[in-house]
Amino acid sequence: TLCNPHLWQQASGVSPKVIQNYVYSRPPPWSDTLPTIFVITPTYTRPVQKAELTRLANTFLHVQNLHWVVVEDSPRRTNLVSNLLEKAGLIFTHLNVESPQSLKMNGSRIPSHKPRGTLQRNLGLHWLRDSFNNTQPPEGVVYFADDDNTYSLELFEEMRYTRRVSVWPVAFAGGLRYESPIVSPAGKVVGWKVVFDPNRPFAIDMAGFAVSIRLILERPQATFKLEGIKGGYQESSLLKDLVTMDGLEPKAANCTKVLVWHTRTERPMLGNEGKHGFSDLRMEV
Amino acid sequence: MKVKLKNVFVIYFLVSVIGLMYALLQLGQPCDCSQHLRSASDLMHGKDKKISQLLSEVKRLQARGKDSELEGQALPVIYAITPTYARLVQKAELVRISQTFLHVKNFHWIVVEDSPVKTQLVSELLAQSGLRFTHLHTETPKEHKLKESDPNWLKPRGVEQRNLALQWLRENRELSEEGVVYFADDDNTYSLRLFDEIRSTKRVSVWPVGLVGGLRFERPLVEKGRVVGFYTAWKPNRPFPMDMAGFAIALQLLLANREAQFDMLAERGYLESSLLQSLVSIEELEPRADNCTKVLVWHTRSEKPKMKQEELLQKQGLGSDPSIEV
């Protein structure tokens, strides 16, 4: 089993190479042998959107073989996102689907049980299944990365060699310093170190797991469910059709390292907009 | 005289043979092909010239390539001064800005902790970041420190820390070294293009900042390439009504004015002015970002993460493992 490169990487504790000499604003060259990481990011228009996507792009530019799938909650693809993606230098796919009013992500405080980004993530999955319908799918993994979280570069190397579904801790989820799967000495996930509803089939945040492309394509009926999903059950609604708890692969040193943070950005105070001629919508922010 | 057909054939035959003999004799004779040769030779010379032209072009480009590598070394260094303090989101903030900084050539990160000691969290993060850095620390005196319950604007933050970084630069850099100093708070968002704008600073350069001062953006007003005023709604009568993220200062200007620093006692919003007024006048400001019409930096702030469940657990003595760093 030591011939398995995935296990070798775990065993030797190889940390991701930090590339320092590449050309400005380009990702590392695409490799034909490295598994692809498809990152699905739902996004919606609000004042901090461009900032969030900019710093995400700056992060993703370090990750080899990353394909960014950005799905706008919008009836049309906006110029802001189109231009940003074109200039970023990343390999990307730009999609859009508008959430019906009742589910829409907007600036106001939405009660946490309304699922956000669901339609958008599902469209991302649909695009993947469509793209690799008749062609040989690449080796790789699918990760749902919301646009306000913070991701370490090491995280992407942990998820890259996922066979089915891999999991790891997430900081600031569920009202805790971090939520984490509980891993037995044998290296199997046996429970969830969470306080909020630990009886969920998968008590894990969206940022805490990745699914292999092969599994996504094998199970075309696996999507996030929209109807009747209680707060915190979004992830389970997808995962239950993909894997069982004992099939999960724990990463991040058997789930003892925090490599992703569920950060949230404050809504900026824009109280002076519109006062005494202070408004200039020509400038994109 | 009657021309006999037989004679015609004989004459024809003789003429042909003579012609053939002549042609055969010509073979092997030196001929005057100079004209042909000359044109062929010209052609060859032309191609040779082209080849040598191309070769020298290649050499020149190679040299230029080397020069730009050298230029890369001679590019003014951007010193980003980041004050930071321990709180839940600190590691996340530093991780994500370091990922942006890693793209910037000739970059030197000066991180100054508001702390009596260098913490392990920041030390390890810097060591693993792949960036060139200087790690400093100084603790804000108690009377100037914000309490947990204070609104964040009540006391100026990061003052002692930024001043310490300025002091470090003055003690460790020469007037001859080209550099630009930028104050990069750990929760803002920076586009890569911003650093090109910073790099070309001669004295003090300025640009718009997004999501600040109660507006979508604040910016200097520019006419004919000069700053003539400021588009700012909050306290617009300040000497320099700008955010910390909206300007950069040439290193040489700071080294030449060794007393210039931030005033701890400055009124709210006057921190930037307290430094800039001793360095530059409004007329001297260099507008960047397309005459201050592009937003290349945003004054983002992160929410304080909700720790309700963590606090409950800790009350029961079941808090999360503190050895797992967040």
Side-chain angles (χ1 to χ4, degrees):
Chain A
T1 42
L2 280 175
C3 294
N4 182 333
H6 142 71
L7 281 175
W8 171 82
Q9 196 169 52
Q10 293 278 57
S12 66
V14 169
S15 54
K17 216 170 22 150
V18 173
I19 303 162
Q20 298 187 51
N21 296 320
Y22 48 69
V23 179
Y24 174 92
S25 263
R26 297 270 188 281
W30 200 269
S31 156
D32 284 330
T33 50
L34 217 57
T36 303
I37 301 177
F38 287 93
V39 177
I40 298 180
T41 299
T43 186
Y44 65 103
T45 301
R46 77 278 195 199
V48 297
Q49 180 187 40
K50 191 177 183 186
E52 302 283 43
L53 295 176
T54 298
R55 57 183 168 186
L56 262 191
N58 291 345
T59 296
F60 295 158
L61 277 169
H62 293 289
V63 183
Q64 201 168 1
N65 281 38
L66 185 146
H67 187 135
W68 198 13
V69 181
V70 178
V71 194
E72 293 196 70
D73 184 343
S74 173
R76 260 167 294 284
R77 294 187 296 187
T78 62
N79 282 336
L80 187 148
V81 177
S82 303
N83 291 336
L84 188 144
L85 289 174
E86 267 157 47
K87 290 192 190 130
L90 290 161
I91 306 290
F92 70 90
T93 294
H94 186 184
L95 307 169
N96 68 289
V97 60
E98 192 177 22
S99 300
Q101 277 307 115
S102 57
L103 291 174
K104 221 176 164 79
M105 301 191 264
N106 55 37
S108 67
R109 283 253 162 264
I110 296 176
S112 59
H113 63 265
K114 282 258 190 291
R116 298 196 302 185
T118 311
L119 276 180
Q120 289 70 32
R121 291 186 194 97
N122 281 344
L123 184 63
L125 288 174
H126 177 85
W127 172 84
L128 265 173
R129 286 164 174 146
D130 227 23
S131 303
F132 301 114
N133 201 2
N134 296 315
T135 55
Q136 178 71 9
E139 283 292 313
V141 73
V142 180
Y143 182 54
F144 299 98
D146 289 351
D147 66 6
D148 55 356
N149 290 337
T150 304
Y151 310 93
S152 71
L153 299 183
E154 209 183 322
L155 175 72
F156 298 101
E157 302 316 313
E158 288 292 301
M159 71 173 74
R160 200 185 287 280
Y161 292 95
T162 302
R163 284 189 301 257
R164 302 184 74 72
V165 178
S166 54
V167 292
W168 48 77
V170 178
F172 314 144
L176 295 171
R177 276 176 80 240
Y178 61 89
E179 279 186 339
S180 170
I182 299 174
V183 181
S184 70
K188 286 226 175 290
V189 175
V190 295
W192 311 99
K193 195 170 182 311
V194 303
V195 171
F196 172 67
D197 207 340
N199 298 316
R200 292 174 275 165
F202 296 89
I204 195 166
D205 183 81
M206 195 66 71
F209 68 92
V211 186
S212 74
I213 297 178
R214 192 180 304 133
L215 189 57
I216 292 289
L217 299 175
E218 264 172 31
R219 309 276 176 93
Q221 80 283 6
T223 57
F224 292 100
K225 304 299 176 289
L226 276 157
E227 301 300 320
I229 299 298
K230 276 201 295 178
Y233 281 77
Q234 262 262 286
E235 296 79 1
S236 300
S237 77
L238 171 75
L239 291 171
K240 67 171 170 48
D241 288 337
L242 291 172
V243 74
T244 54
M245 194 194 287
D246 61 297
L248 295 171
E249 299 148 53
K251 302 285 185 187
N254 271 343
C255 296
T256 59
K257 282 165 77 167
V258 171
L259 302 175
V260 57
W261 297 259
H262 194 280
T263 42
R264 290 172 52 85
T265 304
E266 271 187 18
R267 204 164 134 220
M269 307 285 214
L270 298 179
N272 285 329
E273 278 293 320
K275 282 185 186 168
H276 310 301
F278 274 105
S279 183
D280 184 349
L281 295 172
R282 291 169 302 168
M283 268 181 73
E284 187 182 82
V285 171
Chain B
M1 183 175 69
K2 243 203 306 196
V3 179
K4 285 196 180 145
L5 193 60
K6 184 172 77 173
N7 292 341
V8 169
F9 278 126
V10 168
I11 293 166
Y12 178 78
F13 176 71
L14 281 171
V15 167
S16 302
V17 167
I18 290 165
L20 180 65
M21 299 264 305
Y22 175 77
L24 283 170
L25 282 168
Q26 286 300 309
L27 275 177
Q29 296 290 327
C31 66
D32 184 12
C33 309
S34 56
Q35 208 172 29
H36 174 72
L37 269 179
R38 209 178 303 135
S39 64
S41 164
D42 281 345
L43 201 62
M44 284 269 290
H45 281 315
K47 288 206 193 294
D48 268 345
K49 201 167 158 195
K50 185 82 185 170
I51 288 174
S52 65
Q53 263 175 357
L54 286 170
L55 276 173
S56 62
E57 179 86 47
V58 167
K59 278 206 186 86
R60 193 174 56 80
L61 285 170
Q62 275 176 341
R64 205 189 345 156
K66 280 209 184 76
D67 277 349
S68 67
E69 265 175 32
L70 286 174
E71 229 183 298
Q73 264 108 48
L75 261 184
V77 178
I78 295 180
Y79 295 92
I81 296 176
T82 299
T84 185
Y85 65 103
R87 76 277 195 201
L88 284 166
V89 296
Q90 180 188 37
K91 189 177 183 186
E93 303 282 40
L94 294 174
V95 163
R96 65 180 161 186
I97 51 168
S98 73
Q99 290 163 352
T100 290
F101 295 158
L102 212 47
H103 292 290
V104 184
K105 287 196 191 89
N106 274 28
F107 182 87
H108 187 131
W109 198 14
I110 303 179
V111 176
V112 194
E113 295 196 70
D114 185 344
S115 168
V117 297
K118 286 187 191 177
T119 62
Q120 192 182 355
L121 187 150
V122 176
S123 303
E124 282 177 4
L125 189 145
L126 288 174
Q128 292 167 14
S129 67
L131 292 164
R132 213 192 312 171
F133 68 89
T134 294
H135 185 185
L136 305 171
H137 65 95
T138 181
E139 197 176 18
T140 304
K142 278 204 172 49
E143 60 272 21
H144 295 291
K145 226 180 158 103
L146 278 178
K147 290 196 285 292
E148 191 70 24
S149 50
D150 284 340
N152 64 61
W153 46 260
L154 193 64
K155 297 192 176 85
R157 298 190 299 177
V159 182
E160 308 278 43
Q161 290 72 32
R162 292 187 194 96
N163 284 341
L164 182 65
L166 290 177
Q167 187 189 326
W168 183 90
L169 281 168
R170 285 160 177 152
E171 287 168 3
N172 291 278
R173 288 293 178 269
E174 307 287 317
L175 261 172
S176 57
E177 300 181 51
E178 283 206 64
V180 186
V181 176
Y182 181 58
F183 298 99
D185 289 350
D186 65 8
D187 54 356
N188 289 339
T189 303
Y190 309 94
S191 72
L192 298 183
R193 252 198 73 189
L194 174 72
F195 298 96
D196 289 335
E197 307 295 303
I198 292 173
R199 184 118 37 206
S200 62
T201 304
K202 302 279 177 292
R203 297 177 71 78
V204 177
S205 56
V206 293
W207 46 76
V209 177
L211 311 174
V212 71
L215 294 171
R216 282 172 72 243
F217 60 87
E218 279 182 345
R219 72 182 186 97
L221 295 165
V222 178
E223 258 168 49
K224 296 200 178 96
R226 289 218 176 284
V227 174
V228 296
F230 295 91
Y231 177 98
T232 305
W234 187 73
K235 294 193 179 176
N237 296 319
R238 294 172 279 163
F240 293 89
M242 294 191 292
D243 183 79
M244 198 65 74
F247 63 91
I249 307 175
L251 177 65
Q252 287 164 345
L253 192 61
L254 286 165
L255 297 180
N257 292 280
R258 304 187 80 79
E259 303 309 310
Q261 58 173 24
F262 292 101
D263 181 3
M264 174 58 91
L265 301 171
E267 193 192 315
R268 187 176 160 221
Y270 282 75
L271 211 53
E272 295 83 357
S273 302
S274 72
L275 173 71
L276 290 171
Q277 60 198 10
S278 59
L279 292 172
V280 76
S281 65
I282 291 190
E283 299 75 48
E284 290 171 309
L285 294 173
E286 300 147 46
R288 294 275 181 276
D290 287 359
N291 277 333
C292 296
T293 58
K294 298 275 188 295
V295 173
L296 303 175
V297 57
W298 298 262
H299 193 273
T300 42
R301 293 174 48 81
S302 294
E303 280 184 13
K304 195 167 155 207
K306 296 192 172 62
M307 288 289 123
K308 199 166 105 177
Q309 310 303 339
E310 183 73 38
E311 281 152 17
L312 279 174
L313 283 182
Q314 289 195 0
K315 281 204 184 95
Q316 299 163 32
L318 298 166
S320 65
D321 185 350
S323 70
I324 293 187
E325 190 182 80
V326 158

